[in-house]
Amino acid sequence: MQQSLTFSNGETISYLLERRPRRTVGLKITENGLVVHAPKRIFEFQLNQILQEKSNWILTKLQAREANQIEKIQWVDGEHLLYLGQDIQLKLVPDVKKTTHFERNKLAIHAPQVNIHKACSRMVLMWYKKQAALDFARRVEVFAAKLGVPTPPLTLSNAQSRWGSCNSRGEVRLSWRLLQAPPQIINYVICHELAHLKQMNHSAKFYAVVEQLFPNYKAAEKELKLLSPQLHRM
Ligand SMILES: [Zn+2]
C-alpha cells in the first residue's frame, strides 16, 4: 500500500507499506523508493514515530538513490556510449544516405538532417545488435570448445531483466545490451549459460562447471550487478 509521510523538516515522501508477520519494522530502499515492512499489528502512530526517528537515514538514502539514477541515452551529437566497456562517442553527420561507421572510438551515424535523431536511435541499436551477434558468436564458439561441447545455437534477446538464458533444447540467448559491457563480463555470462548445457540448474555441480570455465565468476557477477544500470541506458 502506497503511503505518504511528512518529516519534521517539512519534506514529504511516499513509500510502500507492506504488512508482514514480523516483530520489527524493516526499511529498505529499492529502485522504486522506500519500502517499509511492518508487523501486522503495529499502530500507525507507532510506525510513524519509528519512521520519524529514521528520517535522516531515509532522506540520505533516497538522495543517494536519485543521484544514482542514470539518464537514458540522448540521441544527440557527442553523446557517450559504451562499447565493450569502452567509452565511445556518438557523431551525427547530416548526409543524403543512411550509413553507420565505427572508427577510433567514434560511432558516426550518417542520415538526412530532417529525421536524423529518430533515424539515429534505430541505426545505433541496429549496429549494436549486428556487432553483438558477431562478437557473441565468436566467444560462444571459444568457450564451448573449452567446455568440450558442440557450439550451441545462439540468438540475441532484447530482454531487460536477464542477460542470458539457456533452454532445455540447449539454445543460448544473450541480451545484445551486454555488448556494452567489458569483454570479461560478456565471457562470464556466456560461461554461465554454457555451463547449463552440462547442468540445467543452479546447483553446486553447476557452479563447479562455471568455475572451471571462468574461475573468477563471483567477481564478474558482482561487477555485472554494479554495471547493470549503465547497460540499461540504451
Ligand atoms: Zn543460469
Side-chain angles (χ1 to χ4, degrees):
M1 198 173 23
Q2 205 67 34
Q3 304 279 311
S4 86
L5 172 71
T6 302
F7 290 115
S8 48
N9 69 357
E11 198 159 346
T12 300
I13 61 157
S14 81
Y15 67 92
L16 183 67
L17 176 62
E18 293 178 358
R19 297 275 181 177
R20 293 281 166 87
R22 55 182 288 158
R23 285 159 179 268
T24 56
V25 173
L27 307 180
K28 67 177 179 184
I29 304 290
T30 70
E31 55 178 335
N32 298 318
L34 175 64
V35 178
V36 177
H37 290 164
K40 290 202 165 138
R41 288 162 179 264
I42 197 170
F43 287 110
E44 210 172 311
F45 79 90
Q46 290 174 304
L47 179 61
N48 276 335
Q49 196 179 341
I50 291 169
L51 294 177
Q52 293 292 350
E53 281 163 13
K54 304 259 184 192
S55 64
N56 272 339
W57 183 90
I58 294 169
L59 290 171
T60 311
K61 288 284 181 178
L62 285 176
Q63 270 161 17
R65 170 186 153 264
E66 250 166 63
N68 277 333
Q69 276 181 340
I70 290 166
E71 245 184 89
K72 283 275 173 197
I73 285 183
Q74 307 293 309
W75 301 105
V76 294
D77 189 66
E79 173 65 298
H80 291 265
L81 308 175
L82 272 177
Y83 170 62
L84 294 173
Q86 304 281 327
D87 178 63
I88 67 169
Q89 229 183 357
L90 183 62
K91 292 255 104 195
L92 297 195
V93 186
D95 201 343
V96 281
K97 265 178 70 182
K98 286 185 185 172
T99 50
T100 307
H101 310 270
F102 180 60
E103 216 180 331
R104 277 186 242 122
N105 290 335
K106 288 200 165 61
L107 184 61
I109 300 292
H110 293 238
Q113 179 78 62
V114 280
N115 64 351
I116 197 161
H117 296 282
K118 216 172 135 206
C120 165
S121 65
R122 249 199 331 263
M123 289 165 74
V124 170
L125 297 196
M126 261 171 60
W127 185 82
Y128 269 82
K129 288 174 190 174
K130 194 173 158 198
Q131 302 307 313
L134 294 168
D135 180 279
F136 298 171
R138 248 190 316 114
R139 295 176 197 276
V140 166
E141 201 180 324
V142 169
F143 285 105
K146 201 171 163 194
L147 186 64
V149 296
T151 304
L154 171 68
T155 48
L156 287 187
S157 86
N158 195 30
Q160 298 267 10
S161 53
R162 59 201 304 195
W163 297 115
S165 62
C166 177
N167 64 23
S168 56
R169 293 185 300 277
E171 297 160 345
V172 170
R173 286 166 72 84
L174 297 169
S175 165
W176 61 267
R177 286 187 177 82
L178 262 183
L179 190 73
Q180 299 171 93
Q184 76 272 15
I185 299 296
I186 304 174
N187 290 346
Y188 151 70
V189 174
I190 288 174
C191 291
H192 178 112
E193 300 313 334
L194 289 179
H196 280 311
L197 296 174
K198 297 232 162 159
Q199 292 286 330
M200 249 323 147
N201 50 47
H202 289 123
S203 62
K205 272 186 184 167
F206 166 79
Y207 282 105
V209 179
V210 176
E211 193 164 17
Q212 173 206 332
L213 264 181
F214 196 95
N216 211 1
Y217 75 92
K218 278 184 186 154
E221 203 168 28
K222 254 188 220 153
E223 201 184 329
L224 178 56
K225 223 174 233 166
L226 288 175
L227 201 61
S228 180
Q230 290 278 351
L231 305 185
H232 282 108
R233 283 184 71 216
M234 196 180 269

